[in-house]
Amino acid sequence: MGKATGFMEYERKDQKTDKPEQRIKHFQEFHTPLSREEQELQGARCMGCGVPFCQSGQMIMGMASGCPLHNLIPEWNDLIYHGNWEEAYYRLIKTNNFPEFTSRVCPALCEASCTCSLHDRAVSAKGNEFGIIENAYAMGYAKAEPPRVRTGRKVAVIGSGPAGLAAADQLNRRGHLVTVYEREDRVGGLLRYGIPNMKLEKQVIDRKIAVMEEEGVIFKPDCDVGKDIRVSSILREYDKVILACGASNPRDIKAAGRDAKGIYFAVDFLKSTTKCIWRHNMSLKEGEYLSAKGKKVLVIGGGDTGNDCVGTCIRHGAESVMQIEMMPKLPSERACDNPWPEWPKVHKTDYGQEEAAVIFGKDSRIYQTTVKEFIKDESGNLYKVVLVNLKSKKDEKSGKFFMEQVQGSEYTVEANLVLIAAGFLGAEEYAPKAFGTDLNERTQVWTESGSYKTSVKNVYTAGDMHRGQSLVVWAIREGREAAREVDMDLMGYTNLSVQ
């Protein structure tokens, strides 16, 4: 453990955050890391508890409690407290291929189940993870380690998001020859263009990709397998194939006037901004992205993607931003039926919503609300939206609750840009169709329970394409588990670890 009395002696301390008025002027990360000495004291707060739920990753009431990667959190907290940062790095990468990603974009399931959070603030596991990986790059520990022996077996990974990258990294370490195909012009999947620079600057991805290339992984961007490249040629060339194409089929809003000009899916909006920033060295050029400048924006969806849309629109210079969410506002503290170590179902304010509150003078979110109609002008341009309130109602047959419109609660708001951030339904059909894999009722690629093998010989799947839209940590875990199964089938045994 860290220091036996550390959690009583030291208060939690997080990275310093730029004020909203300052950070909305740019698209860069806006946190200042703690010093090495400050981070070591945060490691001292770890209690080394008898049952470390932080690394359990178990499902409780349908929600993950602790890290799905089973990161050895108490171990590396203790190591950094004692100043052994190099060994902390090796313990960290034993379970996590990409701590440079998770320490930036993961919602920190580990901290939510930290024993210290029962009566105090959780140990800053996410901040400690960030400190370990960034120190490793600075000190040269996070360098390329090519495998000493090659098996001669070839594996193709279709998709370069966190699941595909994790599978590729694991299989390459084992000595297999791995090629990753990506349909976009640059590698990274939704990490690249779906997550704004404010949360994950793209040089962080490039840094890791460069290491993987030096270790022998081959990346082929601008290659859309199933469209640009024949599936038959992939199956002939490679011994095994892993489909990790994500759940990129966005959920739409079915309402009158949906065909109005000015309605976009959130992922398309965010992608256009991130691509433009990359082309023009961290700045925007008018006419090359979907702009919210001077617009009255309505964001549909209250999750991470909706928040990213709010933050991006503010940086564009939007006139106003409103964010609607179907579900009720969560309580400020855990309810009695949501005890520790369950994931806390409590009200949170993310960076975009914090910025909106400062810039516009109030919280941008409206709860228990949905769209009833989009109103367009004579030219087909969106200019108003009819909203309606919702209430929770129980289905007497199934016993499940659903949200029902409140009759007579309709009201109209002005909006000339709508961004739909309502989640994703499953995989796009063309890749599974091209490979001939079966889909389940949720349009995810079907496998037997506990397996990553699809219905097609030598074809496997992992990540959101397999489990549905989820977190980066789950995608990495799926990629690692799929790699282990592929290795077992190729070699008859495996020494790849999952945890």
Side-chain angles (χ1 to χ4, degrees), residues 331-383:
S332 57
E333 296 181 354
R334 285 182 184 268
C336 294
D337 61 351
N338 177 218
W340 178 91
E342 290 181 5
W343 173 256
K345 294 184 285 186
V346 296
H347 178 72
K348 296 179 180 178
T349 299
D350 212 330
Y351 76 96
Q353 292 138 3
E354 181 185 9
E355 292 163 0
V358 171
I359 302 305
F360 302 119
K362 62 178 182 179
D363 195 321
S364 60
R365 291 168 287 185
I366 300 176
Y367 301 91
Q368 293 183 246
T369 302
T370 192
V371 172
K372 188 167 186 178
E373 182 183 0
F374 299 105
I375 302 176
K376 51 189 175 181
D377 61 21
E378 295 179 353
S379 301
N381 297 308
L382 176 76
Y383 77 104

Side-chain angles (χ1 to χ4, degrees), residues 31-196:
H31 297 95
T32 302
L34 299 179
S35 68
R36 183 181 175 116
E37 293 73 20
E38 289 174 316
Q39 206 74 65
E40 288 174 356
L41 291 182
Q42 293 306 300
R45 294 188 69 240
C46 185
M47 302 169 70
C49 42
V51 181
F53 284 92
C54 61
Q55 63 184 52
S56 65
Q58 62 182 312
M59 300 299 292
I60 303 177
M61 300 299 292
M63 300 175 291
S65 175
C67 180
L69 291 172
H70 308 297
N71 283 338
L72 306 172
I73 297 167
E75 293 187 32
W76 38 261
N77 279 334
D78 176 70
L79 287 165
I80 66 170
Y81 166 58
H82 288 100
N84 196 342
W85 286 79
E86 182 175 3
E87 185 60 29
Y89 165 71
Y90 292 125
R91 298 308 284 168
L92 174 57
I93 63 168
K94 184 176 178 62
T95 56
N96 186 355
N97 300 74
F98 309 114
E100 54 270 270
F101 304 157
T102 54
S103 63
R104 287 172 165 85
V105 304
C106 181
L109 305 178
C110 52
E111 294 186 10
S113 61
C114 173
T115 304
C116 206
S117 67
L118 266 168
H119 302 291
D120 195 0
R121 299 179 68 195
V123 174
S124 56
K126 184 176 178 179
N128 293 347
E129 179 182 20
F130 180 92
I132 292 168
I133 185 61
E134 291 306 313
N135 178 75
Y137 275 106
M139 300 302 293
Y141 308 145
K143 62 182 185 299
E145 298 284 353
R148 297 179 180 179
V149 178
R150 288 292 181 183
T151 66
R153 303 298 180 90
K154 299 177 67 176
V155 180
V157 177
I158 316 302
S160 67
L165 291 177
D169 194 34
Q170 291 291 95
L171 290 167
N172 181 69
R173 290 181 185 181
R174 182 70 167 90
H176 303 308
L177 301 169
V178 183
T179 301
V180 180
Y181 291 85
E182 169 57 50
R183 65 180 177 178
E184 290 287 353
D185 57 349
R186 300 178 77 199
V187 172
L190 282 181
L191 292 171
R192 174 68 64 179
Y193 293 132
I195 296 178

Side-chain angles (χ1 to χ4, degrees), residues 154-159 177-182 218 220 223-245 431 434-435 456-460:
K154 299 177 67 176
V155 180
V157 177
I158 316 302
L177 301 169
V178 183
T179 301
V180 180
Y181 291 85
E182 169 57 50
I218 298 172
K220 292 189 175 183
C223 291
D224 198 346
V225 177
K227 289 186 177 180
D228 303 333
I229 299 176
R230 291 179 180 272
V231 167
S232 56
S233 65
I234 295 289
L235 293 174
R236 280 197 307 269
E237 184 176 352
Y238 297 93
D239 298 295
K240 303 290 182 182
V241 178
I242 299 177
L243 301 180
C245 307
F435 278 91
V456 176
K457 184 180 180 181
N458 295 328
V459 178
Y460 302 71

Side-chain angles (χ1 to χ4, degrees), residues 263-498:
I263 303 175
Y264 303 94
F265 288 116
V267 67
D268 296 328
F269 171 76
L270 295 172
K271 184 187 295 184
S272 74
T273 293
T274 309
K275 279 191 171 183
C276 188
I277 288 172
W278 168 59
R279 287 194 297 264
H280 299 287
N281 194 26
M282 295 302 291
S283 63
L284 293 172
K285 185 175 182 180
E286 292 295 330
E288 294 191 14
Y289 67 102
L290 298 174
S291 177
K293 185 176 182 179
K295 301 286 183 69
K296 296 177 180 179
V297 184
L298 174 66
V299 178
I300 304 173
D304 289 341
T305 304
N307 170 73
D308 291 338
C309 287
V310 172
T312 301
C313 287
I314 290 173
R315 284 162 176 75
H316 284 187
E319 181 180 331
S320 64
V321 180
M322 177 187 294
Q323 186 179 10
I324 62 173
E325 185 172 347
M326 293 183 64
M327 303 306 294
K329 182 179 179 180
L330 293 171
S332 57
E333 296 181 354
R334 285 182 184 268
C336 294
D337 61 351
N338 177 218
W340 178 91
E342 290 181 5
W343 173 256
K345 294 184 285 186
V346 296
H347 178 72
K348 296 179 180 178
T349 299
D350 212 330
Y351 76 96
Q353 292 138 3
E354 181 185 9
E355 292 163 0
V358 171
I359 302 305
F360 302 119
K362 62 178 182 179
D363 195 321
S364 60
R365 291 168 287 185
I366 300 176
Y367 301 91
Q368 293 183 246
T369 302
T370 192
V371 172
K372 188 167 186 178
E373 182 183 0
F374 299 105
I375 302 176
K376 51 189 175 181
D377 61 21
E378 295 179 353
S379 301
N381 297 308
L382 176 76
Y383 77 104
K384 288 184 179 180
V385 179
V386 179
L387 303 179
V388 61
N389 295 334
L390 301 170
K391 64 179 179 181
S392 179
K393 187 174 181 180
K394 185 177 182 180
D395 186 305
E396 297 301 329
K397 291 184 178 180
S398 66
K400 296 181 179 180
F401 287 89
F402 65 97
M403 301 304 290
E404 180 183 65
Q405 293 187 9
V406 178
Q407 297 301 318
S409 66
E410 296 86 352
Y411 61 100
T412 302
V413 298
E414 293 184 2
N416 46 17
L417 176 62
V418 167
L419 304 174
I420 301 174
F424 296 86
L425 294 173
E428 291 184 56
E429 291 186 359
Y430 76 90
K433 187 176 180 179
F435 278 91
T437 58
D438 292 339
L439 300 178
N440 62 21
E441 66 279 1
R442 296 183 178 181
T443 67
Q444 298 152 7
V445 176
W446 176 88
T447 66
E448 291 185 357
S449 179
S451 173
Y452 293 86
K453 295 177 185 176
T454 71
S455 56
V456 176
K457 184 180 180 181
N458 295 328
V459 178
Y460 302 71
T461 188
D464 290 359
M465 194 177 196
H466 178 231
R467 68 177 287 120
Q469 183 188 13
S470 193
L471 302 174
V472 170
V473 281
W474 280 112
I476 296 172
R477 173 169 166 172
E478 289 238 332
R480 290 171 66 90
E481 290 180 343
R484 181 179 173 84
E485 188 169 0
V486 167
D487 185 45
M488 176 68 78
D489 291 344
L490 283 173
M491 306 300 291
Y493 73 99
T494 183
N495 55 15
L496 288 178
S497 63
V498 174

